Amino acid sequence: MITFLSGGTGTPKLLLGMRELMDESDISVIVNTAEDLWMSGNYLSPDIDTVIYLFAGILDTQRWWGIEGDTYATHEEIRRHGGEEYLAIGDRDRAVHILRGEMLRRGLRLTECTTSISRIFGVRAQVLPMSDTAVNTIISTPEGEMHFQEYWVRFRGEPKVLRVHRRFEAPPITTGEALSTIAESAAVVIGPSNPVTSIMPILECRGIKEAMKGKTVVAVSPFMGDRPFSGPAAPLMRAWGLEPTAMDTYRLYRGIATLFIQDVRDPYRIKGAYAMDTLMSDRKKSIDLAEEILQLVEQGG
Ligand code: GDP
């Protein structure tokens, strides 16, 4: 068993390769939920949905979210009636959000909802939310504070980022299921996801860092040179006083990751890090990187 810490794009690209090389039931994924939100009465867990759809083989891998070939009849109708829905939610995707919202209203934990939805799609990998309680990544901008999805989707990442912080009623705690899966795993892989909005929310959950102590923990940089491969990581890293580089990611994960992978194209080498081609532009490149990482895990570094 290997446990992956994942957001909704970079790490799922790596999982695409991993599922070709490992038995799916030996893959466990602890997923960021700090981008979750209620919309039109339903519960969206964008990163969890991406990971489930990936294993189900129905993910739209052009956008890395949503279901391939989905239709948008309900979304268009809601917009026509003046609804505020700023995320283009597909009809089949929405069915999942409706089911999840119903399960949560009935009192199920997010972990139970996720297991149930994984079963519906025949997913054999274990997909787990980082926590069962709500936490959101909030972006402070000159126009005010907003949920990460508002910043990135509604306002297309245009507002200046002044501060990034988490909002919650109670500090999030790692679930018992996530702790057990780490305990059973030969290694933990911190995938190449956005450190500020995807990985740190997971690592901030109480109990997870302690659970990872003594394990082989491989972290993969989501940056090449001084920029992300995609997405808004650069201004978000800078808001934390960090540069969007492998070096600052390495510093952020110091004391947590035991092995660090940077991209071969980085203009500098981090002492002790492994350099690999981490650009997963197609399925083959995802498999190649996954293979190299598995070899590294087997050798223990
Ligand atoms: P989000 O939840 O959609 O924001 O996605 P993630 O946090 O999982 O992933 C976003 C990060 O993935 C960005 O910082 C990208 O730089 C990184 N990323 C995307 N594609 C690749 C890739 O092919 N290789 C690597 N190393 N990083 C990638």
Side-chain angles (χ1 to χ4, degrees):
M1 174 90 79
I2 296 184
T3 295
F4 296 83
L5 308 191
S6 181
T9 307
T11 309
K13 284 187 186 175
L14 180 61
L15 292 169
L16 183 78
M18 287 291 174
R19 69 193 286 263
E20 300 287 331
L21 305 172
M22 294 177 68
D23 186 332
E24 200 179 297
S25 55
D26 288 333
I27 299 178
S28 184
V29 194
I30 299 175
V31 188
N32 169 47
T33 56
E35 292 171 26
D36 288 15
L37 73 169
W38 288 91
M39 184 165 277
S40 304
N42 307 317
Y43 192 82
L44 280 69
S45 202
D47 293 354
I48 286 182
D49 288 339
T50 291
V51 172
I52 289 178
Y53 299 159
L54 172 82
F55 285 110
I58 57 171
L59 178 67
D60 180 341
T61 50
Q62 294 296 314
R63 302 177 306 178
W64 289 90
W65 59 270
I67 296 176
E68 197 172 15
D70 212 344
T71 53
Y72 292 85
T74 310
H75 175 68
E76 281 157 20
E77 198 67 4
I78 288 171
R79 300 272 294 192
R80 202 172 9 249
H81 296 319
E84 271 280 295
E85 204 171 79
Y86 61 82
L87 284 167
I89 301 167
D91 296 317
R92 292 182 64 200
D93 196 15
R94 187 186 304 275
V96 170
H97 307 157
I98 292 172
L99 285 174
R100 186 189 286 118
E102 275 302 292
M103 287 190 260
L104 287 171
R105 278 189 283 266
R106 286 207 318 265
L108 265 67
R109 295 184 297 129
L110 188 57
T111 300
E112 294 166 321
C113 304
T114 307
T115 302
S116 171
I117 295 165
S118 294
R119 285 212 187 101
I120 293 170
F121 287 100
V123 172
R124 289 189 302 118
Q126 200 180 7
V127 183
L128 297 167
M130 63 185 199
S131 175
D132 281 323
T133 59
V135 46
N136 280 141
T137 294
I138 301 296
I139 312 292
S140 302
T141 75
E143 288 93 69
E145 293 198 335
M146 54 187 82
H147 186 285
F148 172 76
Q149 294 289 352
E150 271 194 292
Y151 160 75
W152 182 235
V153 183
R154 185 179 206 165
F155 298 111
R156 294 180 217 88
E158 283 160 8
K160 187 171 156 44
V161 180
L162 302 175
R163 194 165 89 95
V164 183
H165 70 281
R166 245 59 87 181
R167 183 181 289 158
F168 46 72
E169 271 179 24
I173 301 172
T174 311
T175 66
E177 287 85 349
L179 293 177
S180 318
T181 208
I182 292 173
E184 286 165 27
S185 291
V188 177
V189 175
I190 301 177
S193 282
N194 186 329
V196 178
T197 56
S198 294
I199 299 299
M200 289 311 289
I202 304 175
L203 294 174
E204 285 159 12
C205 292
R206 202 171 80 207
I208 192 158
K209 284 195 224 157
E210 292 72 15
M212 287 161 65
K213 282 236 157 67
K215 294 265 167 199
T216 297
V217 179
V218 186
V220 186
S221 168
F223 301 113
M224 186 171 58
D226 61 356
R227 62 193 54 161
F229 287 86
S230 62
L236 302 174
M237 288 284 281
R238 292 203 175 101
W240 272 10
L242 301 166
E243 285 303 309
T245 58
M247 179 59 92
D248 273 7
T249 308
Y250 173 78
R251 291 196 181 114
L252 194 61
Y253 298 159
R254 194 156 30 207
I256 301 166
T258 56
L259 302 168
F260 191 83
I261 298 168
Q262 65 177 139
D263 193 82
V264 275
R265 300 167 197 78
D266 275 338
Y268 54 87
R269 289 294 306 274
I270 300 169
K271 202 160 164 265
Y274 293 83
M276 295 182 187
D277 182 356
T278 74
L279 173 61
M280 295 172 281
S281 46
D282 59 34
R283 187 181 200 84
K284 161 98 174 52
K285 293 196 73 179
S286 292
I287 296 172
D288 289 348
L289 179 60
E291 199 158 21
E292 276 197 87
I293 292 174
L294 287 180
Q295 276 168 11
L296 191 64
V297 166
E298 266 162 34
Q299 292 156 11

